């Protein structure tokens, strides 16, 4: 009989350890030549028959579910055809049958009744389905016996998937501790002179071109199998630092091997790719925890120095690195909590409560009708006038509500267009509307928009502070309004980080978006740039030189020669407004960052490659 079947997947041999259950996955057939054949019915087997009509006929097997009494039903079979896998002999169920002969008889009756196939094709299909689809085939049975002893890489698509690589290494694809090992094997290139191809049953075969040797085993399979056993044992015993050490050694070994092959175009070790991989080694996502980038650079230099000297990384350095990164994450979380919650709560201005008369004066306890944009205090009008009558507070910018014309103690919410008076809701409804004539009652009152008024006051306060050169403590508080954008989240953004390429040119990398740029993302080049802030004043290149300035020499002690005072007074730089300081730029750290950089040069992590 001519063999036409093509095995897509061999599947696996069912083994439960119980003889009566395993016997359901065995077959015993007598062929047309009166020979007796026996073998295993694999689970997950798939093959197809190409027909003369241009379609394929598919057979799949699976493990059958237990019956109503809890006993296993044995293997199940499903037959489909065409490209869209139209299930045949579906009946009342989903097309899965426990008896392949009955299923095959129903399929042939379907073809014969609808005249879908030719007489020659029907004559060929009138045979044992175990033989037609290759289950009862020496090649299939030999492959199943070999698969019981040796693992293989099954590739159902053009490239093996992550789950297929994990099955090859006998690793759970959902195991978070060993996902890196599966990914490492998938990314490992075959050494020369090895190549690979996909053979029968979608099994990846490796062939050595110089000797012609063909095998199912990956050239580095033994290495990764031993590494798998070591990592599993280390994780079970809690020795996670040893696994990190192995991964760091592999990272540095990969860099050195790549540098030897492509030294001319090799990026420095301190690059986004290796920092991302190193963060993954210590269990961090660099896209989320961008605060650890600075210390990752410093620790990677320590590991590289140790690796080049001893071809190994010290375990103590691994422990110190893990502790350092943990402290960075905890400090960043504490800083976020402080800036996003505590400081925001302190600097929040609740316009709704103030306009409703629900806030009290911090000085006398009466209803507050005013908010000082610089003191951040709620006051009544009388207390504001007394506290801001003289001194530096006289220059503060207040945000005042309109008091009710009748009760004078509550903020006005409505403006009567007939009498031109501002009143609160209670006074307007209970007293004022009763005194209006008939034609005056027809005029609808106008609602006072305090939000628009606050925005005008805030703009006025910013402009005045900019003119006077005052920045510390002059940030106008944000409103407590849902949907408004706050600057605190923007201040905490740490997505862009500086690096140097192979030529020593500085660039900035964004780990969240994967973008790179040469210029600093914090400063646009000119006022035509898309990210330019209209509130900032740009000093052009030709304005940096004052032709009238005299030559001046500076000394380290601050002494000067020449007319320095006249030069500075005539320079356009003295006329420009100082840039406002927001967020972290407005804070002072102790000790000063410049003092630490001068006393501890090793803290300067961003250096060009040497």
């Amino acid at each position: 009989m001519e063999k036409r079947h093509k095995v897509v997947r061999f599947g696996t041999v069912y083994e439960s350890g119980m003889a009566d259950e395993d016997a359901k996955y065995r077959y015993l057939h007598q062929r047309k030549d009166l020979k007796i054949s026996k073998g295993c019915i694999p689970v997950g087997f798939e093959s197809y028959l190409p027909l003369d009509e241009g379609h394929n006929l598919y057979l799949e097997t699976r493990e059958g579910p237990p019956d109503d009494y809890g006993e296993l039903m044995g293997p199940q079979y499903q037959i489909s055809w065409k490209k869209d896998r139209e299930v045949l002999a579906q009946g009342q169920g989903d097309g899965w049958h426990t008896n392949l002969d009955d299923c095959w008889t129903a399929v042939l009756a379907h073809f014969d009744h609808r005249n879908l196939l030719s007489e020659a094709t029907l004559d060929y299909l009138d045979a044992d389905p175990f033989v037609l689809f290759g289950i009862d085939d020496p090649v299939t049975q030999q492959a199943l016996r070999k698969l019981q002893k040796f693992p293989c890489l099954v590739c159902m698509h053009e490239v093996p998937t992550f789950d297929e690589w994990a099955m090859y290494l006998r690793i759970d694809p959902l195991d978070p501790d060993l996902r890196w090992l599966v990914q490492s094997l998938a990314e490992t290139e075959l050494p020369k002179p090895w190549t690979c191809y996909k053979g029968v049953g979608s099994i990846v075969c490796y062939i050595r071109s110089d000797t012609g040797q063909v095998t199912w085993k990956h050239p580095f399979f033994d290495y990764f199998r031993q590494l798998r056993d070591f990592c599993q044992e280390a994780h079970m015993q809690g020795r996670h630092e040893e696994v990190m050490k192995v991964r760091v050694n592999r990272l540095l070994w990969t860099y050195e091997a790549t540098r030897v092959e492509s030294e001319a175009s090799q990026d420095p070790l301190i690059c986004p790719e290796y920092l991302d991989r190193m963060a993954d080694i210590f269990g961090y996502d660099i896209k989320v925890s961008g605060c650890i980038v600075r210390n990752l650079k410093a620790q990677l230099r320590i590991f590289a120095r140790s690796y080049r000297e001893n071809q190994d990384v010290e375990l103590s350095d691994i422990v110190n690195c893990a502790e350092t990164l943990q402290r960075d994450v905890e400090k960043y979380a504490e800083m976020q909590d402080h800036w996003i919650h505590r400081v925001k709560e302190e600097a929040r201005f609740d316009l709704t409560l103030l306009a409703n008369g629900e806030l009290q004066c911090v000085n006398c306890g009466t209803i507050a009708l005013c908010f000082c944009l610089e003191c951040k205090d709620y006051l009544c009008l009388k207390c504001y006038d007394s506290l801001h009558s003289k001194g530096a507070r006289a220059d503060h910018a207040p945000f005042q509500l309109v008091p009710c014309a009748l009760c004078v103690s509550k903020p006005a919410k409505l403006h009567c267009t007939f009498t031109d008076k501002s009143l609160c809701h209670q006074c307007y409804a209970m007293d004022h509307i009763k005194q209006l004539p008939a034609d005056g009652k027809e005029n609808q009152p106008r609602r006072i928009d305090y939000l628009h008024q606050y925005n005008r006051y805030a703009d006025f306060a910013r402009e005045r502070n900019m003119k006077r050169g005052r920045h510390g403590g002059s940030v106008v508080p944000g409103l407590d309004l849902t949907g408004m954008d706050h600057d605190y989240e923007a201040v905490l953004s740490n997505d862009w980080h500086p690096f140097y390429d192979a030529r020593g040119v500085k660039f900035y990398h964004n780990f969240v978006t994967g973008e790179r740029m040469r210029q600093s993302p914090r400063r646009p080049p000119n006022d035509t740039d898309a990210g330019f802030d209209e509130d900032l004043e740009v000093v052009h290149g030709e304005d940096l030189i004052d032709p009238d300035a005299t030559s001046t020499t500076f000394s380290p002690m601050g002494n000067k020669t020449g007319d320095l005072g006249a030069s500075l007074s005539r320079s356009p730089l003295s006329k420009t407004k100082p840039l406002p300081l927001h967020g972290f730029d407005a804070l002072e750290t102790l000790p000063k960052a410049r003092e630490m950089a001068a006393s501890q040069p090793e803290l300067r992590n961003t250096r060009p490659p040497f």
Side-chain angles (χ1 to χ4, degrees):
M1 182 179 180
E2 180 187 359
K3 293 183 180 181
R4 298 183 184 178
H5 68 270
K6 304 292 183 182
V7 179
V8 178
R9 183 176 59 245
F10 285 113
T12 57
V13 177
Y14 180 84
E15 293 179 330
S16 64
M18 303 178 64
D20 54 344
E21 293 185 2
D22 294 345
K24 297 179 180 180
Y25 290 86
R26 304 291 186 267
Y27 69 87
L28 182 63
H29 291 158
Q30 183 179 5
R31 300 183 180 180
K32 291 184 178 181
D33 54 1
L34 303 181
K35 292 184 178 180
I36 303 297
S37 63
K38 60 181 180 179
C40 300
I41 302 175
V43 176
F45 176 84
E46 181 181 355
S47 68
Y48 67 92
L49 279 174
L51 304 179
D52 296 337
E53 285 73 14
H55 300 297
N56 294 331
L57 202 59
Y58 298 91
L59 171 67
E60 296 181 65
T61 66
R62 73 176 185 181
E63 179 184 350
D67 56 13
D68 298 337
Y69 301 97
E71 296 183 1
L72 294 179
M73 302 172 59
Q76 289 188 329
Y77 311 91
Q78 185 184 72
I79 298 178
S80 58
W81 79 317
K82 295 184 179 180
K83 188 176 182 180
D84 56 352
R85 298 295 186 93
E86 178 184 346
V87 179
L88 302 175
Q90 188 169 357
Q92 299 297 329
D94 53 358
W96 289 95
H97 301 266
T98 57
N99 192 307
L100 181 57
D101 293 331
D102 295 342
C103 177
W104 186 241
T105 301
V107 169
L108 294 180
H110 173 78
F111 287 143
D112 188 18
H113 178 69
R114 300 194 178 187
N115 295 324
L116 298 175
L117 302 178
S118 63
E119 290 295 334
T121 303
L122 288 175
D123 291 341
Y124 176 79
L125 295 179
D126 189 11
D128 189 350
F130 284 89
V131 178
L132 283 175
F133 288 96
I135 295 180
D136 188 2
D137 185 78
V139 176
T140 301
Q141 296 301 317
Q142 182 182 1
L144 291 174
R145 289 191 295 268
K146 186 177 180 180
L147 286 172
Q148 288 182 284
K149 300 178 181 179
F150 306 101
C152 71
L153 176 61
V154 178
C155 177
M156 298 302 299
H157 306 282
E158 296 181 358
V159 179
T161 62
F162 180 87
D163 292 349
E164 291 170 344
W165 282 107
M167 293 298 297
Y168 182 40
L169 273 178
R170 301 294 191 268
I171 294 177
D172 185 3
L174 302 179
D175 188 354
D177 295 330
L178 296 180
R179 286 184 61 89
W180 67 272
L181 186 59
V182 178
Q183 192 66 31
S184 299
L185 177 59
E187 296 175 354
T188 301
E189 297 183 1
L190 292 175
K192 298 178 181 179
W194 288 94
T195 56
C196 64
Y197 66 93
K198 187 164 69 171
V200 181
S202 303
I203 296 178
V204 178
C205 302
Y206 300 93
I207 179 172
R208 184 161 182 162
S209 57
D210 55 349
T211 62
Q213 176 187 359
V214 180
T215 179
W216 287 356
K217 182 187 291 187
H218 191 283
F220 294 131
F221 178 79
D222 292 335
Y223 165 76
F224 282 97
R225 178 176 54 81
Q226 296 175 4
L227 192 58
R228 176 204 63 191
D229 298 339
F230 169 79
C231 294
Q232 288 178 343
E233 181 181 359
H235 283 302
M236 291 180 60
Q237 299 179 1
R239 296 182 285 114
H240 305 288
E241 293 80 6
E242 296 184 7
V243 179
M244 295 179 183
K245 176 182 176 181
V246 172
R247 297 183 64 181
V248 172
N249 279 324
R250 279 184 45 81
L251 177 67
L252 298 174
W253 170 80
T254 302
Y255 173 77
E256 293 293 338
T258 308
R259 187 175 64 87
V260 172
E261 296 179 0
S262 57
E263 186 173 2
S265 59
Q266 175 69 14
D267 288 335
L269 178 62
I270 310 299
C271 65
E273 176 187 358
Y274 284 92
L275 284 187
D276 190 6
R277 296 170 63 178
M278 186 173 171
D280 181 68
I281 291 175
F282 289 90
Y284 298 99
D285 185 358
I286 202 168
K287 296 180 181 179
V288 179
S289 304
C291 59
I292 64 175
V293 171
R294 182 180 297 272
N295 272 326
L296 277 178
K297 294 179 180 180
Q299 296 296 331
L300 190 54
R301 288 190 178 93
I302 296 175
F303 295 150
R305 187 181 304 111
S306 177
Y307 184 82
R308 290 192 175 182
E309 294 176 356
N310 307 318
Q311 297 299 310
D312 193 13
V313 176
E314 297 293 338
L315 185 61
S316 58
D317 294 338
I318 298 293
V319 175
N320 293 335
C321 179
E323 295 176 353
T324 302
L325 298 181
Q326 180 65 25
R327 285 196 301 268
D328 286 349
V329 173
E330 293 176 355
K331 290 180 180 179
Y332 183 72
E334 182 180 357
M335 179 178 59
Q336 277 188 314
D337 177 70
H338 177 76
W339 276 94
I340 294 180
H341 298 98
R342 302 179 185 177
V343 175
K344 181 188 295 187
E345 290 294 336
E346 294 174 0
R348 179 176 294 172
F349 170 39
D350 199 326
L351 177 59
T352 304
L353 296 179
L354 181 64
N356 292 337
E358 300 179 12
L359 298 178
Q360 297 180 348
C361 175
V362 297
N363 190 39
C364 64
T366 59
I367 298 178
L369 296 176
C370 177
F371 178 76
C372 180
L373 300 179
E374 301 188 20
C375 296
K376 313 297 186 298
D377 287 333
Y378 298 97
L379 301 165
C380 63
L381 298 181
K382 181 178 179 181
C383 292
Y384 182 86
D385 293 338
S386 62
L387 294 176
H388 293 76
S389 59
K390 56 184 178 180
R393 290 190 176 186
D395 298 330
H396 287 190
F399 171 63
Q400 297 181 354
L401 301 183
V402 180
C404 177
L406 294 182
C407 65
V408 190
S409 60
K410 296 182 180 180
K413 302 297 290 293
L414 300 175
H415 182 78
C416 180
T417 57
F418 185 80
T419 61
D420 197 24
K421 292 182 179 180
S422 299
L423 306 106
C424 63
H425 284 295
Q426 182 178 359
C427 293
Y428 182 85
M430 303 302 295
D431 298 327
H432 182 70
I433 196 172
K434 298 179 181 179
Q435 302 174 5
L436 295 178
D439 55 345
K441 295 180 180 180
E442 297 179 356
N443 295 341
Q444 293 293 332
R446 180 174 55 85
R447 178 178 176 273
I448 300 176
D449 188 1
Y450 284 117
L451 177 60
H452 178 69
Q453 181 182 353
Y454 171 78
N455 292 332
R456 290 192 297 108
Y457 270 82
D459 294 339
F460 168 74
R462 292 191 187 96
E463 293 177 1
R464 189 170 64 174
N465 289 331
M466 289 290 295
K467 292 179 180 179
R468 297 178 179 178
R470 296 165 53 195
H471 308 290
S474 62
V475 179
V476 179
L479 293 176
D480 186 11
L481 299 175
T482 305
M484 291 189 62
D485 295 332
H486 299 282
D487 293 337
Y488 300 100
E489 288 81 358
V491 170
L492 293 174
S493 176
N494 54 354
D495 300 334
W496 291 94
H497 303 276
F499 293 93
Y500 291 89
D501 60 12
R503 298 175 298 172
V505 180
K506 189 176 184 179
F507 69 93
Y508 297 86
H509 180 81
N510 190 320
F511 285 100
V512 177
T513 62
E515 299 174 281
R516 293 190 180 188
M517 57 190 307
R518 292 294 184 188
Q519 68 181 28
S520 174
R522 301 178 182 274
R523 188 173 187 178
N526 50 58
D527 53 359
T528 61
D529 187 80
F532 175 71
D533 189 356
E534 297 181 356
D535 295 336
L536 303 182
E537 182 172 343
V538 176
V539 181
H540 300 280
E542 60 271 13
D543 297 335
L544 297 178
I545 303 176
D546 187 1
D548 299 332
T550 58
S551 176
T552 306
T553 304
F554 295 88
S555 67
M557 300 302 295
N559 299 328
K560 57 183 180 294
T561 59
D563 192 3
L564 178 59
S567 173
L568 292 179
S569 62
R570 290 190 298 266
S571 174
L573 288 177
S574 61
K575 302 177 182 179
T576 60
K577 300 178 180 179
L579 298 180
L581 300 180
H582 299 286
F584 298 141
D585 296 334
L587 300 179
E588 294 185 358
T589 57
L590 298 176
K592 301 281 189 182
R594 56 179 179 270
E595 296 178 0
M596 295 181 61
S599 59
Q600 304 180 30
E602 64 273 7
L603 295 181
R604 302 174 185 173
N605 314 4
T606 310
R607 300 175 181 172
F610 42 79

